Amino acid sequence: MPIVYKCRHCNQEIGKLDQRMVDTSMLGLDQLSTEDKRDMISYEVNGNITIKSICESCEESLGSHPHYHELDYFIQ
């Protein structure tokens, strides 16, 4: 059950955890609200868990262009 972190904006893979057993509290997932969990975590048919986050490049773009926060996706 790999856990794959992907950027919510550009869909780039940020990182991957290949462990059979993972304590979600160690990942901080227990700190998310129900709505945030629904928006950020998806369970794939292949058994992977995908967590949407933000990569450094997109974070820099958001810092340089704050109005991008209004958009769901700013990279075409």
Side-chain angles (χ1 to χ4, degrees), residues 21-55:
M21 299 289 285
V22 176
D23 183 359
T24 57
S25 65
M26 290 181 68
L27 300 176
L29 300 179
D30 60 330
Q31 301 295 313
L32 298 173
S33 69
T34 303
E35 184 178 333
D36 286 340
K37 286 179 186 175
R38 188 173 41 249
D39 290 342
M40 294 177 67
I41 303 171
S42 60
Y43 300 90
E44 311 299 331
V45 292
N46 63 2
N48 289 1
I49 297 173
T50 301
I51 300 177
K52 294 179 189 171
S53 187
I54 186 168
C55 69

Side-chain angles (χ1 to χ4, degrees), residues 1 6 9 17 21 35 38-39 47 57 59-61 63-64 66 69 74:
M1 167 187 80
K6 288 191 172 185
H9 300 288
L17 298 173
M21 299 289 285
E35 184 178 333
R38 188 173 41 249
D39 290 342
S57 177
E59 186 174 13
E60 286 179 21
S61 293
S64 299
H69 284 280
F74 59 87

Side-chain angles (χ1 to χ4, degrees), residues 9 58 60-75:
H9 300 288
C58 289
E60 286 179 21
S61 293
L62 285 168
S64 299
H65 307 282
H67 62 281
Y68 284 176
H69 284 280
E70 300 169 5
L71 308 172
D72 289 332
Y73 300 96
F74 59 87
I75 296 178

